[in-house]
Amino acid sequence: MKLIILGPPGSGKGTVSERLEQEFGFLNVSAGELLRKEAAKKTVNALKIKRTIEAGKLVPNHIVVDMIKKHVKNKRKYLLDGFPRSREQAEAIEDLKIEKVLNLDVKEEVVIERLAGRRVCSQGHHGYHIKYLPPKKAGICDVDGSPLIQRKDDVPSIIKERFKIYHSETEPVAEYYRKKKILLTIDGSGSPEEVYRNVKKALQIS
Ligand code: AMP
């Protein structure tokens, strides 16, 4: 199955994706994570990508679309987290023949609180929340033992910019897939366990 997970920043896309990866073996393709890795390299594009992410803006389409397509080439079971983020990006991956699109619906005040308490492991793959999804040992990733950090774009001024872009660029993507009748909207306001249960129910997998 080929899936997309949509939702505002802090809606829990990464947490749901991690769980679907662990339980069902989906290849978990996080656009943000791939871009942060790219930004850490010593390439011509790296500094441009780093600055764009830290400003909360969208990285240019040609970079993101090529990167995602390279990752999913010849794969049949994957989920795209944080991609597509605009109608242009959605149109650019028509050839992938995405089957279902999950749309996590959460109110803005809830996600702002989640973002303030969000921590990620320094390897970049595992996400936590100091109150709602704490690690077993404070400040340390349960899975790889790396220190937990706060993302540079999880600060109020940048969060505001990310929401602005979400409303103008990314919300129309949900509409795009709703018209194709493959959009599954899920209440994302509960605990990580509740949201994940709702996702599995919507996908009819257990
Ligand atoms: P995320 O980890 O999904 O919150 O993404 C972090 C940042 O990476 C975003 O704020 C953008 O700067 C960049 N980014 C992630 N996905 C995309 C995308 N599909 N298109 C453009 N930029 C992206």
Side-chain angles (χ1 to χ4, degrees), residues 96-163:
L96 297 184
K97 308 245 178 290
I98 295 295
E99 287 149 83
K100 288 182 184 169
V101 179
L102 296 163
N103 185 29
L104 298 181
D105 183 27
V106 197
K107 285 204 183 71
E108 205 153 312
E109 15 345 331
V110 176
V111 289
I112 285 172
E113 198 209 346
R114 285 185 186 170
L115 287 170
R118 171 156 84 176
R119 299 292 181 271
V120 292
C121 81
S122 12
Q123 304 295 321
H125 195 59
H126 309 106
Y128 298 87
H129 188 281
I130 48 175
K131 188 161 139 198
Y132 304 119
L133 195 60
K136 292 192 182 90
K137 191 170 168 209
I140 302 290
C141 177
D142 292 346
V143 185
D144 55 39
S146 69
L148 300 185
I149 53 168
Q150 183 165 32
R151 276 169 45 174
K152 278 198 175 152
D153 56 348
D154 278 350
V155 296
S157 59
I158 307 298
I159 289 172
K160 211 166 141 199
E161 180 64 22
R162 288 161 66 204
F163 269 103

Side-chain angles (χ1 to χ4, degrees), residues 34-48:
L34 290 174
L35 287 168
R36 282 186 288 276
K37 278 196 186 130
E38 207 52 48
K41 290 183 187 165
K42 292 201 166 25
T43 61
V44 192
N45 277 335
L47 190 62
K48 216 164 41 178

Side-chain angles (χ1 to χ4, degrees), residues 3-183:
L3 297 179
I4 285 172
I5 304 198
L6 296 176
S11 57
K13 301 185 293 289
T15 307
V16 167
S17 303
E18 261 185 56
R19 290 179 185 212
L20 287 173
E21 176 185 29
Q22 278 164 16
E23 192 175 0
F24 298 102
F26 280 89
L27 172 68
N28 176 1
V29 183
S30 157
E33 196 180 316
L34 290 174
L35 287 168
R36 282 186 288 276
K37 278 196 186 130
E38 207 52 48
K41 290 183 187 165
K42 292 201 166 25
T43 61
V44 192
N45 277 335
L47 190 62
K48 216 164 41 178
I49 295 173
K50 185 169 183 282
R51 286 196 179 130
T52 310
I53 293 175
E54 289 178 1
K57 311 248 187 243
L58 291 186
V59 172
N61 282 348
H62 66 277
I63 297 179
V64 190
V65 172
D66 287 355
M67 187 184 77
I68 296 290
K69 285 200 167 177
K70 218 186 280 170
H71 262 80
V72 300
K73 197 163 181 227
N74 301 326
K75 304 278 189 323
R76 291 166 171 271
K77 187 175 181 180
Y78 54 80
L79 53 94
L80 304 181
D81 162 8
F83 180 91
R85 259 174 156 96
S86 66
R87 202 190 149 91
E88 293 71 33
Q89 292 182 1
E91 284 168 354
I93 56 156
E94 270 299 308
D95 56 318
L96 297 184
K97 308 245 178 290
I98 295 295
E99 287 149 83
K100 288 182 184 169
V101 179
L102 296 163
N103 185 29
L104 298 181
D105 183 27
V106 197
K107 285 204 183 71
E108 205 153 312
E109 15 345 331
V110 176
V111 289
I112 285 172
E113 198 209 346
R114 285 185 186 170
L115 287 170
R118 171 156 84 176
R119 299 292 181 271
V120 292
C121 81
S122 12
Q123 304 295 321
H125 195 59
H126 309 106
Y128 298 87
H129 188 281
I130 48 175
K131 188 161 139 198
Y132 304 119
L133 195 60
K136 292 192 182 90
K137 191 170 168 209
I140 302 290
C141 177
D142 292 346
V143 185
D144 55 39
S146 69
L148 300 185
I149 53 168
Q150 183 165 32
R151 276 169 45 174
K152 278 198 175 152
D153 56 348
D154 278 350
V155 296
S157 59
I158 307 298
I159 289 172
K160 211 166 141 199
E161 180 64 22
R162 288 161 66 204
F163 269 103
K164 208 170 96 193
I165 293 178
Y166 174 75
H167 291 308
S168 63
E169 300 286 327
T170 313
E171 269 180 349
V173 176
E175 185 55 22
Y176 180 83
Y177 290 115
R178 195 181 62 76
K179 284 197 181 132
K180 291 184 180 289
K181 300 195 181 352
I182 57 169
L183 187 75

